[in-house]
Structures are given as structure tokens and as C-alpha cells.
Amino acid sequence: MKKASGGAAEKKRVRRSSAPDDVPPKKQAAKKDVFQVFAEKVRDNKDLVSRWSVLQETRVEYFRGKDFVNFVKNHPEVKDVLDLDSDLETEEIANTLLEKSLLVRCDRVVKTVRPGKKKLSTWPAHLEIFPEQVFSENDAFFAWTFEKHQPLWQTLLSFFWPVLTLAICLFPVYPHRCKLLILYSCVGILFLILLLLSIRGTIFGVLYILLGKRVWFFPNILAEEATLGELFRFWPKKDEEERPTWTKRLFYTLVAVLAIVLLRQHAPDEAARARYQKRVSNIIDDVIEWSPTLSLSGMMDKQQNVSNATGSADAAPQASKTDPEHEPPPYGDDAKSFTEDTEEVSDNVEDVAEEDKKHD
């Protein structure tokens, strides 16, 4: 009995000792989930500076290695998600993310300085995969490889776009006041955009010619890869290009003066402007004043006109049959018989006249 109890105790010890061997896969899976949560939390944080670029014909969000180091240093609380691995260094965490394919190291496609610039672009617009997938702070870029969780407003916006498209298609059947409101709103927004671009270009041209500085207010207003917050940034970027020579500035001055003179000479006069305005206003009035009732009434008027025309066309042959004065002239065989009848009538008239003479 003692031997049996001793054997049972040894089996329990063996089971307990063998149980930890089955845990590592679960721990690895948990670590993978933990690093996934860490990556999502870091990506959703706005303090990590990132941009959008094109990587192998795909738009990706990427950041710089030194920005990631500064972010983890300034926000140590994000490492609490890693539990047991929270003591890892920033480089080790980044290498783990690279091993788990949550990140991919990229490099700039254009590696030469463009003419007129002093250094390479801080945020390149086109990237390529770097051969060595190892974390580095020096001129290294890292792109997220997983899909970002779609926020609620984007989900609502995806349902709103089809409704907006249908509303645009139904614009002709809107009430007159709604048409005027939409028209003036769109024209006002378009005028505001054109005015902003014209003022922006004028300020740039004046400062470029007089001071030789490139100053673009709203520098990202025409950018394709900018976010909504960056799109309406007002202050210009620092001019990193070389100062233009006076000959180039003089050339652009002459071009601007020549363009202004040509525009003034070929500008339309008051009569032409009035004609254009009348033509455009007529087109706008046709679009705004159109309604389904007018369309249906127009179709009914057309049907009435067609019926009146067919009725008059049917009445013409009947009138010609009843009225001998409106008979059409005969043609062909009818013309021959008609001439023969007239000859016979004229002969009979002559015979009657001769008989009257004899009696006299």
C-alpha cells in the first residue's frame, strides 16, 4: 500500500512538472494578443506623429523610428498593456512588433536631394520595403500592417454617402426654395474656395518677387495625403529651398505684368458681360423653375397640339370632297377624261348656238 501511495504521489509530481510544458504556447498566444493591443493603442494615440504614404501601390500609415522612441519615453503608461513584458526596452518592443508582422520597416524611394533643396524630404510620399527588418532610429520608417478599427463616424458616413447621392439625383423635384438654398450655398462655397486660392497665390507671388521667400499660407490645402486637421493648417512651413536669384524673380515679374496686361485688353465689355449674364441666368432659371407638373403639362400641351394638327389634316379632305371649288387639279387618266368632257361641253354649246341662229 505504501508503494502504491508512493507511486501515485510520483505520478502527481510528474503531472505537475509536465503541466508547465503545455503553457508556453498559450503564453505565446497571449503575448501576441498583448502586442496586438499595444500596437492598436499606440496607433490610436495622436501624440505619435504619423503620415500617409504609398507603399507598393497601397496607402499605408507610417511613422519615424525616433518619433516612436520619443513617444514611448514620454508615455510610459502604454507599456502597462504588455504585462510581463512591460520591462522591455523600446528597441526590443519594436523588434517584437516587426517579428509579429504588426510593423514593416520601409525606406524612401527617392534617395537623392531634389534640385533646389538642401536635404531630403522629412516625410516621403513613396516608400519601399527595407531589406533588413530591424528597428533603427536613424532615418528609418515603419508602417502599420494591420487594419485600423473603423470609428463610428466613418460607419455612419458610409451609410450617408448613398443617401447623399440619391438626394443629388432628386434635385430637379425639390421645391423652389430648397433649390435656391442649395444653389446659393454651392455657389458661395465655390466662390470662397476660389477667393482663398487667389489670395494665397497673390501673397506667394508678391513675397516671392519682393523678398525672394516662398510663403504658402494653408500649405496643405491642395495636398492629397493630408489629414483633415493638416488640411486646414494656416501657418506656412519653413522654407528649406535655396533663395531664388534676382534674374528668376525679374523674369516672373515680367510674366505677371504681361499676363495682367493681356487680361485687361481681352476682358469682355459691359455689353458682352450683360449677354453672358443673361444667358447664364436663363439656364439657371430653366433648371430651378423646372418641376414635374410643368413637365406633365408640357406633355399634355404637346398631345393637344398633335391632336389638333391631325384633326385639321382629316378635315381638309372632307372639305375638298364637299366643296367643288377646292378640288385638286386632275392628273394622269383623270386629266385626259376631264379634257374630253370639256371639249364635248364646248361642242354642245356651239351646236345649240347654231340652231338658235337657224330659227332666227
Side-chain angles (χ1 to χ4, degrees):
M1 295 296 292
K2 291 182 180 180
K3 291 182 179 180
S5 61
E10 289 179 356
K11 287 182 179 180
K12 289 182 179 179
R13 290 177 182 176
V14 170
R15 289 179 182 176
R16 290 176 181 176
S17 61
S18 62
D21 295 337
D22 298 334
V23 174
K26 295 182 180 180
K27 285 186 178 180
Q28 291 178 1
K31 286 182 180 179
K32 186 176 181 180
D33 295 336
V34 166
F35 280 98
Q36 175 75 30
V37 174
F38 172 80
E40 293 176 355
K41 187 175 181 179
V42 171
R43 187 177 183 181
D44 293 336
N45 198 315
K46 296 181 180 180
D47 292 338
L48 178 63
V49 183
S50 62
R51 294 290 188 276
W52 287 89
S53 179
V54 178
L55 175 64
Q56 296 180 350
E57 300 181 357
T58 304
R59 292 184 71 250
V60 294
E61 186 179 4
Y62 73 102
F63 58 88
R64 298 180 298 181
K66 60 181 181 180
D67 293 334
F68 182 77
V69 173
N70 294 331
F71 172 79
V72 176
K73 185 183 297 183
N74 297 329
H75 298 80
E77 67 276 3
V78 296
K79 297 171 63 176
D80 297 339
V81 183
L82 300 177
D83 295 335
L84 299 178
D85 296 325
S86 59
D87 296 333
L88 294 176
E89 298 294 332
T90 304
E91 185 176 353
E92 295 176 350
I93 295 174
N95 287 326
T96 305
L97 295 177
L98 290 171
E99 292 176 0
K100 296 180 179 299
S101 299
L102 297 173
L103 285 178
V104 59
R105 182 175 177 179
C106 306
D107 193 10
R108 61 178 76 246
V109 175
V110 180
K111 300 178 177 63
T112 58
V113 181
R114 294 182 179 179
K117 292 189 176 182
K118 298 180 182 179
K119 59 181 182 179
L120 294 172
S121 177
T122 306
W123 299 97
H126 297 274
L127 298 173
E128 60 183 4
I129 297 177
F130 194 74
E132 298 179 0
Q133 294 296 314
V134 181
F135 181 77
S136 176
E137 298 184 35
N138 302 323
D139 198 26
F141 305 98
F142 300 89
W144 300 107
T145 58
F146 59 90
E147 292 291 337
K148 190 176 181 180
H149 290 296
Q150 189 175 12
L152 180 60
W153 67 269
Q154 290 185 358
T155 304
L156 297 176
L157 188 62
S158 62
F159 287 102
F160 175 72
W161 280 120
V163 177
L164 180 61
T165 304
L166 182 61
I168 294 173
C169 295
L170 295 177
F171 175 77
V173 300
Y174 286 175
H176 186 73
R177 292 183 179 179
C178 294
K179 289 181 181 179
L180 290 177
L181 179 62
I182 295 172
L183 176 65
Y184 290 135
S185 300
C186 294
V187 171
I189 295 172
L190 181 61
F191 179 76
L192 180 62
I193 294 173
L194 295 178
L195 181 63
L196 176 62
L197 294 178
S198 60
I199 295 175
R200 178 174 175 263
T202 303
I203 295 174
F204 174 83
V206 171
L207 295 180
Y208 182 84
I209 292 172
L210 297 180
L211 304 178
K213 294 184 179 181
R214 302 174 181 85
V215 179
W216 285 111
F217 291 99
F218 294 100
N220 300 323
I221 195 67
L222 299 177
E224 297 180 357
E225 304 297 334
T227 60
L228 189 61
E230 297 172 353
L231 192 65
F232 296 100
R233 193 180 71 178
F234 177 75
W235 293 109
K237 297 180 180 178
K238 185 179 179 181
D239 188 9
E240 299 177 353
E241 300 181 7
E242 296 180 357
R243 187 173 182 178
T245 59
W246 67 271
T247 54
K248 185 182 293 185
R249 292 158 58 187
L250 180 61
F251 171 75
Y252 285 118
T253 303
L254 295 176
V255 171
V257 172
L258 181 61
I260 293 173
V261 171
L262 291 176
L263 289 175
R264 286 183 61 86
Q265 289 182 354
H266 296 280
D269 54 2
E270 188 66 23
R273 188 195 63 79
R275 289 196 301 270
Y276 297 151
Q277 182 180 0
K278 184 177 180 181
R279 187 180 304 173
V280 172
S281 63
N282 291 335
I283 295 173
I284 294 175
D285 291 339
D286 292 340
V287 174
I288 292 179
E289 294 178 358
W290 185 90
S291 65
T293 56
L294 293 176
S295 178
L296 294 174
S297 62
M299 294 175 61
M300 296 299 295
D301 293 339
K302 288 181 179 180
Q303 290 181 357
Q304 290 179 1
N305 294 332
V306 171
S307 62
N308 293 333
T310 54
S312 60
D314 294 336
Q318 294 178 0
S320 63
K321 290 180 181 179
T322 57
D323 192 358
E325 294 180 357
H326 296 282
E327 287 186 2
Y331 297 96
D333 296 335
D334 296 334
K336 292 181 180 179
S337 61
F338 179 77
T339 52
E340 291 177 354
D341 294 336
T342 55
E343 290 177 354
E344 290 179 358
V345 170
S346 61
D347 292 337
N348 293 330
V349 170
E350 291 177 355
D351 293 338
V352 171
E354 289 178 355
E355 289 179 357
D356 292 336
K357 289 179 180 181
K358 289 180 182 180
H359 289 292
D360 293 334

